[in-house]
Amino acid sequence: MNEVKLLQRRYLTIAAIIAALFVIAIAGYMIPVEKQDVPARIVMDNTGGRVIFSHQAHAEDYGFDCIDCHHDDIGSDTFLACGTCHPAEFNDDFRVNHQKAFPSDEACLRCHDDVPTAPLAEDERPDIENIPLRAEAFHTQCMGCHEENGGPYGDDSCYQCHAR
Ligand code: HEC
Ligand code: HEC
Ligand code: HEC
Ligand code: HEC
Ligand code: HEC
């Protein structure tokens, strides 16, 4: 093999390596980051007056685990908004939209006996008696923990959470 050919082959090898690295770098940008950001503050507008929830302080400073509040570990990397399962009302809007709101079918089984594929027969409808609606889910969880661990709860506490 003469020297020119040898050099050409080296250039080709280097070019191939650079191309490969380039592909890996692009892929690195395109694959979504797995870990979700922890929201710092969450503003909750509602008829009782706006609540500003110090999410990060609760998650990092007060010594709780994510699943102390995000009680539904449905086997995904993401935590769902509470309202995904605790709507303001189990109405037509929920009936239609919730079916696409979950990252996997595992979540369906929280409320359904099987993964539903069609409109439900009367006896297949989830028992919604035990699933608190949105405001009740928040009040129960927020104040339940505060009663045990500190933080506002009880009849006089409304405006420690709600803006007047
Ligand atoms: C003290 C209770 C509490 C703790 C602890 C907590 N969270 Fe939350 N988190 C909430 C509440 C309440 C919301 C608001 C959900 C809503 O608006 O429906 C929320 C919202 C979120 C959201 C936004 C969800 C969405 O789609 O709107 C993410 C992401 C999240 N939390 C991640 C975490 C992670 C990660 C941890 C642990 C490091 C954690 N949280 C710890 C109560 C908590
Ligand atoms: C994937 C669906 C799902 C998500 C997301 C979810 N929940 Fe629930 N939650 C349920 C179901 C179903 C029940 C009914 C009781 C049971 O089966 O555990 C329930 C029960 C509750 C209860 C009453 C029982 C108890 O543990 O005291 C509270 C309070 C509650 N949820 C608050 C919340 C809050 C606050 C969030 C968001 C931080 C949240 N839930 C997110 C499905 C969910
Ligand atoms: C937080 C509880 C909950 C979760 C989680 C849940 N569902 Fe439902 N689902 C309901 C309720 C409540 C209804 C309404 C029942 C009724 O009409 O009385 C319903 C109804 C349905 C219906 C019937 C709609 C119609 O027009 O009658 C389908 C289909 C369905 N769900 C699919 C799913 C699928 C698929 C998943 C998972 C990806 C899922 N659901 C997760 C509570 C839930
Ligand atoms: C798992 C336990 C837990 C849950 C759930 C919880 N808290 Fe707290 N919260 C605490 C503790 C503990 C403190 C007191 C921290 C201190 O005073 O050192 C606190 C303090 C607070 C305070 C006063 C200090 C601050 O950080 O603003 C507010 C307001 C508050 N919580 C709102 C909420 C709301 C709104 C929810 C529901 C969305 C909620 N908390 C859910 C444990 C909890
Ligand atoms: C620990 C914080 C906290 C305390 C204390 C608290 N709330 Fe709330 N409240 C919330 C949160 C969080 C929500 C739900 C916000 C949302 O839906 O996004 C809520 C929702 C509400 C709603 C709206 C209900 C709906 O269906 O839209 C009313 C009304 C309300 N609270 C009244 C009160 C009253 C009255 C008190 C005092 C007896 C009180 N709250 C105490 C945090 C609190």
Side-chain angles (χ1 to χ4, degrees), residues 103-140:
S104 77
D105 285 351
E106 200 176 326
C108 317
L109 304 177
R110 282 297 281 117
C111 304
H112 295 278
D113 291 336
D114 294 302
V115 176
T117 50
L120 303 175
E122 211 41 61
D123 64 347
E124 291 172 333
R125 299 190 181 283
D127 177 12
I128 53 174
E129 296 262 295
N130 296 319
I131 311 174
L133 294 175
R134 182 179 170 83
E136 192 197 337
F138 281 122
H139 275 171
T140 305

Side-chain angles (χ1 to χ4, degrees), residues 53 66 68-74 79-86 102 107-111 127-134 136-142:
F53 174 50
C66 312
D68 287 338
C69 301
H70 297 277
H71 69 95
D72 256 64
D73 185 2
I74 50 162
F79 290 118
L80 300 172
C82 312
T84 322
C85 297
H86 300 287
F102 299 99
C108 317
L109 304 177
R110 282 297 281 117
C111 304
D127 177 12
I128 53 174
E129 296 262 295
N130 296 319
I131 311 174
L133 294 175
R134 182 179 170 83
E136 192 197 337
F138 281 122
H139 275 171
T140 305
Q141 188 177 85
C142 307

Side-chain angles (χ1 to χ4, degrees), residues 19-145:
L21 286 175
F22 190 67
V23 168
I24 290 168
I26 294 280
Y29 276 111
M30 287 173 57
I31 296 167
V33 187
E34 288 230 340
K35 207 166 165 285
Q36 245 179 332
D37 286 337
V38 182
R41 253 179 263 105
I42 296 173
V43 179
M44 300 162 157
D45 270 315
N46 66 90
T47 55
R50 171 181 292 189
V51 174
I52 298 177
F53 174 50
S54 57
H55 182 269
Q56 195 165 21
H58 276 76
E60 286 170 8
D61 304 340
Y62 301 164
F64 298 106
D65 290 329
C66 312
I67 54 164
D68 287 338
C69 301
H70 297 277
H71 69 95
D72 256 64
D73 185 2
I74 50 162
S76 73
D77 298 325
T78 57
F79 290 118
L80 300 172
C82 312
T84 322
C85 297
H86 300 287
E89 234 188 302
F90 287 108
N91 55 14
D92 282 345
D93 188 43
F94 176 86
R95 209 189 335 269
V96 173
N97 291 321
H98 84 285
Q99 304 178 29
K100 299 215 159 60
F102 299 99
S104 77
D105 285 351
E106 200 176 326
C108 317
L109 304 177
R110 282 297 281 117
C111 304
H112 295 278
D113 291 336
D114 294 302
V115 176
T117 50
L120 303 175
E122 211 41 61
D123 64 347
E124 291 172 333
R125 299 190 181 283
D127 177 12
I128 53 174
E129 296 262 295
N130 296 319
I131 311 174
L133 294 175
R134 182 179 170 83
E136 192 197 337
F138 281 122
H139 275 171
T140 305
Q141 188 177 85
C142 307
M143 292 199 242
C145 178

